[in-house]
Amino acid sequence: VTDPGENNPPSNNGNGEIEIIIDEDNWIKNISTLGNSSNGNEFEKIVRKALQFLGFQNNSNDPQWQDGLNPEKTGGAGGLDIYANLPYQIVGECKASQDIRGDRSGAVAQLIDIGGRYLGKENFDNCIKLIFASGQFKPLANQSAIGNQMNVIRPETLDRLVEIKEKHPGLIQLSELKQCLEKQPFGVESDQKINEFIDQIFNKIKIRSKIVNIVKQLLESNIDAIHGVYSFTNNSNPLPKQEISDILIELSSPLAGYLRKENDRFYFVKDLDN
């Protein structure tokens, strides 16, 4: 995944101010751009759009948080930045560019205060807690984030997740992401664990790309032949035949469409980009 900053570099507008260049053709590239800007409202909106794109939903009828995933609105002063209740509850705060202080005006304290007030303590405690921020965390803020099991997600990390979803829709399972977000570490170190989760997905993509290429070379083949070639060419990291079979079914599904299955044989349709 390329660095969005390479395509959307900040530029000087001639008045000594930094002008943010927005990519109108690829909204995903704007996640990092806005996250590293001073435009907090637009960053909040694009985070909401990104979470919707990943599959999160908000079907709440409560006026206090029913817009918690609406990319056309923001939480505003004293409002909840992020809230979704499907497939599980997440609550979050967005801070573009700013360093995260440990006082009552900082993102961690705001999330605790606003989230607890809107959702109630028990409901808030059961939520996955997220802070989307590019700024540095002061020690007290990070300690509080750890103590309250908050995940810190950098804009570039959210960018990576959304790009995978765009190119490979079936490979990000929100249930698996939940398991990642529920485990330690929390605070600023949690961004690394989320990137490790993303790296595991890229490894899945690499494996699937190899299998697609094998089918492409064989022209037509059954599971036994594909498993045999894969085992021979990847003898340091072999896969069980059943796993190869499951991946072939996935790759030939209408959602993926990289292969075509007829009876017990598989045919190449299109390449899978890593």
Side-chain angles (χ1 to χ4, degrees):
V1 178
T2 57
D3 181 356
E6 294 176 359
N7 297 305
N8 300 310
S11 65
N12 195 300
N13 63 10
N15 298 319
E17 299 177 354
I18 297 299
E19 180 183 5
I20 301 299
I21 306 301
I22 298 300
D23 188 339
E24 299 294 345
D25 297 323
N26 188 349
W27 70 272
I28 296 173
K29 297 297 183 185
N30 296 328
I31 297 173
S32 295
T33 302
L34 291 170
N36 290 280
S37 75
S38 58
N39 196 335
N41 285 340
E42 291 305 313
F43 178 53
E44 180 182 331
K45 289 178 180 179
I46 205 167
V47 169
R48 289 177 169 195
K49 183 173 182 176
L51 292 171
Q52 276 193 347
F53 188 75
L54 289 172
F56 289 101
Q57 301 175 48
N58 182 348
N59 67 352
S60 172
N61 293 320
D62 193 307
Q64 292 189 99
W65 58 76
Q66 65 183 5
D67 287 326
L69 217 60
N70 185 346
E72 302 303 320
K73 298 184 178 181
T74 63
L80 200 58
D81 284 359
I82 301 294
Y83 177 72
N85 59 358
L86 292 172
Y88 45 87
Q89 289 191 104
I90 61 171
V91 63
E93 183 75 14
C94 302
K95 288 293 180 186
S97 182
Q98 303 172 22
D99 286 347
I100 309 301
R101 303 185 301 275
D103 57 25
R104 292 183 62 84
S105 64
V108 177
Q110 286 182 345
L111 183 54
I112 295 170
D113 177 47
I114 298 171
R117 178 156 37 90
Y118 273 56
L119 301 172
K121 184 179 186 307
E122 183 176 355
N123 203 16
F124 176 73
D125 288 344
N126 290 329
C127 288
I128 299 289
K129 302 169 193 67
L130 309 169
I131 294 181
F132 299 91
S134 61
Q136 296 298 311
F137 275 62
K138 302 299 184 183
L140 184 59
N142 190 45
Q143 291 172 14
S144 183
I146 294 171
N148 288 277
Q149 298 186 335
M150 294 181 180
N151 292 275
V152 175
I153 303 181
R154 301 303 187 184
E156 294 79 9
T157 303
L158 182 59
D159 183 315
R160 292 185 77 200
L161 277 170
V162 174
E163 283 202 358
I164 292 175
K165 180 70 174 182
E166 181 187 42
K167 294 179 180 178
H168 310 286
L171 286 184
I172 291 187
Q173 301 294 325
L174 293 184
S175 58
E176 295 177 357
L177 179 60
K178 182 174 188 267
Q179 294 175 12
C180 171
L181 296 172
E182 286 179 329
K183 68 181 182 181
Q184 296 180 343
F186 298 103
V188 295
E189 291 185 7
S190 59
D191 186 69
Q192 180 177 345
K193 84 178 173 188
I194 298 167
N195 274 288
E196 290 171 355
F197 170 79
I198 294 170
D199 290 340
Q200 291 173 3
I201 296 175
F202 274 114
N203 186 54
K204 290 181 180 180
I205 294 170
K206 185 177 180 180
I207 290 170
R208 283 151 178 77
S209 181
K210 289 180 179 179
I211 291 173
V212 168
N213 286 331
I214 288 172
V215 177
K216 183 178 182 179
Q217 292 168 8
L218 294 176
L219 299 181
E220 64 171 276
S221 49
N222 59 23
I223 292 173
D224 288 332
I226 297 166
H227 178 250
V229 174
Y230 187 92
S231 299
F232 179 77
T233 55
N234 297 274
N235 52 31
S236 62
N237 187 29
L239 292 179
K241 181 179 175 181
Q242 184 59 52
E243 187 169 350
I244 295 282
S245 176
D246 292 342
I247 292 173
L248 285 166
I249 297 300
E250 172 196 313
L251 292 170
S252 58
S253 70
L255 179 64
Y258 297 105
L259 303 177
R260 184 179 82 255
K261 182 177 184 296
E262 293 182 9
N263 298 320
D264 65 339
R265 308 192 76 79
F266 293 88
Y267 300 83
F268 172 80
V269 175
K270 63 181 180 179
D271 289 310
L272 190 158
D273 296 328
N274 290 309

